[in-house]
Amino acid sequence: MNIITGQRPDLTPAQLVSGIPILAELLHSFGIYNLSVSQQDSLAHAATWALALVAGDTILRVGRGVATSRVQAAGIAAGAGAMPVLPVTPAADPAAPAGDALPQTEDIPSDAQEFAAPPPGSPPAVAPVAPPRA
């Protein structure tokens, strides 16, 4: 059960943030603290935005669920059976180089070679562009 972590948490950050003005409104309604009229108006606007956050989050979650269902249905129709759920972080390949470093080969020039100025008197690296025909 993933309450706030994982690929599909039960409580998303949008839901957690939207609970703050709702909680403040609830505390005010029970008389825990008093607000001025402008503070009440600001809190009402914040509660409206909180509901918009929850609605937007719901739309995103439904869309992700539909997309996942379509992928799994296509896999079943293709005879692959149930499609496996991909892990949040892919497993490390022991043969891959560490970090983002790519193995250097003779075909790939180094940055110093690629961006170095051409020697004096050498032909241009790019062919001149012919003028357009009339």
Side-chain angles (χ1 to χ4, degrees):
M1 186 166 151
N2 296 328
I3 301 285
I4 57 174
T5 61
Q7 196 171 17
R8 291 193 185 128
D10 295 331
L11 292 175
T12 63
Q15 291 170 335
L16 293 174
V17 168
S18 67
I20 295 170
I22 302 299
L23 180 64
E25 189 76 38
L26 184 66
L27 292 174
H28 171 68
S29 67
F30 284 120
I32 305 292
Y33 62 92
N34 294 326
L35 296 174
S36 68
V37 175
S38 65
Q39 288 173 331
Q40 290 176 9
D41 188 44
S42 297
L43 190 56
H45 289 299
T48 303
W49 279 107
L51 293 175
L53 271 175
V54 170
D57 185 55
T58 302
I59 291 169
L60 286 174
R61 293 179 90 176
V62 167
R64 288 179 184 147
V66 168
T68 301
S69 298
R70 287 182 180 170
V71 167
Q72 289 178 350
I76 292 171
M83 300 296 289
V85 177
L86 297 176
V88 176
T89 55
D93 182 10
D100 292 335
L102 295 175
Q104 290 295 322
T105 63
E106 297 299 321
D107 298 339
I108 301 174
S110 68
D111 287 344
Q113 294 170 338
E114 186 175 0
F115 298 113
S122 65
V126 179
V129 177
R133 296 182 186 177

